[in-house]
mmCIF file of all heavy atoms in Angstrom:
data_model
loop_
_atom_site.group_PDB
_atom_site.id
_atom_site.type_symbol
_atom_site.label_atom_id
_atom_site.label_comp_id
_atom_site.label_asym_id
_atom_site.label_seq_id
_atom_site.Cartn_x
_atom_site.Cartn_y
_atom_site.Cartn_z
ATOM 1 N N LYS C 1033 36.245 29.652 -87.162
ATOM 2 C CA LYS C 1033 37.666 29.543 -87.536
ATOM 3 C C LYS C 1033 37.889 30.222 -88.885
ATOM 4 O O LYS C 1033 38.892 30.872 -89.125
ATOM 5 C CB LYS C 1033 38.034 28.083 -87.704
ATOM 6 C CG LYS C 1033 38.126 27.405 -86.312
ATOM 7 C CD LYS C 1033 38.494 25.886 -86.409
ATOM 8 C CE LYS C 1033 38.697 25.335 -85.015
ATOM 9 N NZ LYS C 1033 38.937 23.852 -85.014
ATOM 10 N N ALA C 1034 36.862 30.167 -89.788
ATOM 11 C CA ALA C 1034 36.956 30.847 -91.041
ATOM 12 C C ALA C 1034 37.065 32.363 -90.798
ATOM 13 O O ALA C 1034 37.822 33.064 -91.522
ATOM 14 C CB ALA C 1034 35.817 30.480 -91.963
ATOM 15 N N ARG C 1035 36.329 32.851 -89.846
ATOM 16 C CA ARG C 1035 36.355 34.279 -89.546
ATOM 17 C C ARG C 1035 37.648 34.703 -88.759
ATOM 18 O O ARG C 1035 37.833 35.778 -88.391
ATOM 19 C CB ARG C 1035 35.143 34.696 -88.716
ATOM 20 C CG ARG C 1035 33.841 34.688 -89.360
ATOM 21 C CD ARG C 1035 32.792 35.349 -88.425
ATOM 22 N NE ARG C 1035 31.468 34.776 -88.697
ATOM 23 C CZ ARG C 1035 30.879 33.934 -87.913
ATOM 24 N NH1 ARG C 1035 31.443 33.469 -86.802
ATOM 25 N NH2 ARG C 1035 29.664 33.517 -88.213
ATOM 26 N N GLU C 1036 38.430 33.664 -88.421
ATOM 27 C CA GLU C 1036 39.588 33.795 -87.637
ATOM 28 C C GLU C 1036 39.291 34.363 -86.175
ATOM 29 O O GLU C 1036 40.069 35.036 -85.585
ATOM 30 C CB GLU C 1036 40.651 34.716 -88.303
ATOM 31 C CG GLU C 1036 41.046 34.118 -89.666
ATOM 32 C CD GLU C 1036 42.331 34.749 -90.183
ATOM 33 O OE1 GLU C 1036 42.813 35.734 -89.542
ATOM 34 O OE2 GLU C 1036 42.762 34.274 -91.269
ATOM 35 N N GLU C 1037 38.053 33.966 -85.748
ATOM 36 C CA GLU C 1037 37.736 34.284 -84.355
ATOM 37 C C GLU C 1037 38.280 33.269 -83.428
ATOM 38 O O GLU C 1037 38.321 33.369 -82.221
ATOM 39 C CB GLU C 1037 36.213 34.418 -84.166
ATOM 40 C CG GLU C 1037 35.647 35.689 -84.804
ATOM 41 C CD GLU C 1037 34.075 35.711 -84.689
ATOM 42 O OE1 GLU C 1037 33.493 34.796 -85.202
ATOM 43 O OE2 GLU C 1037 33.605 36.659 -84.069
ATOM 44 N N MET C 1038 38.561 32.063 -83.986
ATOM 45 C CA MET C 1038 39.138 30.996 -83.219
ATOM 46 C C MET C 1038 40.430 30.511 -83.887
ATOM 47 O O MET C 1038 40.543 30.566 -85.111
ATOM 48 C CB MET C 1038 38.202 29.784 -83.089
ATOM 49 C CG MET C 1038 37.042 30.028 -82.109
ATOM 50 S SD MET C 1038 35.953 28.575 -82.174
ATOM 51 C CE MET C 1038 36.979 27.332 -81.388
ATOM 52 N N GLU C 1039 41.342 29.954 -83.070
ATOM 53 C CA GLU C 1039 42.498 29.377 -83.762
ATOM 54 C C GLU C 1039 42.125 28.133 -84.484
ATOM 55 O O GLU C 1039 41.258 27.401 -84.051
ATOM 56 C CB GLU C 1039 43.561 29.061 -82.621
ATOM 57 C CG GLU C 1039 44.204 30.290 -81.998
ATOM 58 C CD GLU C 1039 45.113 29.845 -80.884
ATOM 59 O OE1 GLU C 1039 45.802 28.751 -81.079
ATOM 60 O OE2 GLU C 1039 45.307 30.529 -79.855
ATOM 61 N N ARG C 1040 42.854 27.844 -85.480
ATOM 62 C CA ARG C 1040 42.569 26.676 -86.343
ATOM 63 C C ARG C 1040 42.711 25.392 -85.467
ATOM 64 O O ARG C 1040 41.986 24.402 -85.806
ATOM 65 C CB ARG C 1040 43.649 26.562 -87.414
ATOM 66 C CG ARG C 1040 43.602 27.646 -88.514
ATOM 67 C CD ARG C 1040 43.182 27.034 -89.868
ATOM 68 N NE ARG C 1040 42.255 28.030 -90.473
ATOM 69 C CZ ARG C 1040 41.058 27.699 -90.961
ATOM 70 N NH1 ARG C 1040 40.658 26.519 -90.925
ATOM 71 N NH2 ARG C 1040 40.292 28.657 -91.486
ATOM 72 N N THR C 1041 43.624 25.396 -84.535
ATOM 73 C CA THR C 1041 43.893 24.178 -83.804
ATOM 74 C C THR C 1041 43.025 24.055 -82.495
ATOM 75 O O THR C 1041 43.126 23.084 -81.796
ATOM 76 C CB THR C 1041 45.390 24.150 -83.350
ATOM 77 O OG1 THR C 1041 45.623 25.297 -82.508
ATOM 78 C CG2 THR C 1041 46.294 24.191 -84.561
ATOM 79 N N ALA C 1042 42.152 25.082 -82.291
ATOM 80 C CA ALA C 1042 41.362 25.001 -81.025
ATOM 81 C C ALA C 1042 40.444 23.739 -81.042
ATOM 82 O O ALA C 1042 39.930 23.435 -82.094
ATOM 83 C CB ALA C 1042 40.553 26.239 -80.914
ATOM 84 N N ASP C 1043 40.303 23.175 -79.875
ATOM 85 C CA ASP C 1043 39.400 22.034 -79.698
ATOM 86 C C ASP C 1043 38.558 22.254 -78.448
ATOM 87 O O ASP C 1043 38.870 21.639 -77.439
ATOM 88 C CB ASP C 1043 40.296 20.775 -79.598
ATOM 89 C CG ASP C 1043 39.379 19.577 -79.406
ATOM 90 O OD1 ASP C 1043 38.257 19.583 -79.834
ATOM 91 O OD2 ASP C 1043 39.886 18.599 -78.820
ATOM 92 N N PRO C 1044 37.604 23.025 -78.521
ATOM 93 C CA PRO C 1044 36.761 23.381 -77.327
ATOM 94 C C PRO C 1044 35.986 22.174 -76.928
ATOM 95 O O PRO C 1044 35.813 21.262 -77.673
ATOM 96 C CB PRO C 1044 35.801 24.475 -77.812
ATOM 97 C CG PRO C 1044 35.654 24.244 -79.294
ATOM 98 C CD PRO C 1044 36.969 23.656 -79.785
ATOM 99 N N PRO C 1045 35.565 22.116 -75.670
ATOM 100 C CA PRO C 1045 34.743 20.951 -75.180
ATOM 101 C C PRO C 1045 33.379 21.039 -75.857
ATOM 102 O O PRO C 1045 33.092 22.021 -76.658
ATOM 103 C CB PRO C 1045 34.587 21.188 -73.693
ATOM 104 C CG PRO C 1045 34.780 22.676 -73.506
ATOM 105 C CD PRO C 1045 35.721 23.127 -74.641
ATOM 106 N N ASP C 1046 32.541 20.086 -75.618
ATOM 107 C CA ASP C 1046 31.209 20.109 -76.214
ATOM 108 C C ASP C 1046 30.407 21.280 -75.655
ATOM 109 O O ASP C 1046 29.889 21.223 -74.551
ATOM 110 C CB ASP C 1046 30.501 18.808 -75.954
ATOM 111 C CG ASP C 1046 31.129 17.648 -76.664
ATOM 112 O OD1 ASP C 1046 31.766 17.921 -77.763
ATOM 113 O OD2 ASP C 1046 31.077 16.534 -76.163
ATOM 114 N N LEU C 1047 30.386 22.368 -76.386
ATOM 115 C CA LEU C 1047 29.736 23.591 -75.840
ATOM 116 C C LEU C 1047 28.265 23.379 -75.559
ATOM 117 O O LEU C 1047 27.695 23.960 -74.633
ATOM 118 C CB LEU C 1047 29.855 24.721 -76.911
ATOM 119 C CG LEU C 1047 31.344 25.143 -77.154
ATOM 120 C CD1 LEU C 1047 31.397 26.247 -78.214
ATOM 121 C CD2 LEU C 1047 31.986 25.574 -75.869
#
Side-chain angles (χ1 to χ4, degrees):
Chain C
K1033 289 181 177 175
R1035 289 190 207 104
E1036 300 196 356
E1037 288 178 300
M1038 284 176 70
E1039 292 178 30
R1040 294 249 141 231
T1041 59
D1043 178 26
D1046 292 331
L1047 296 179

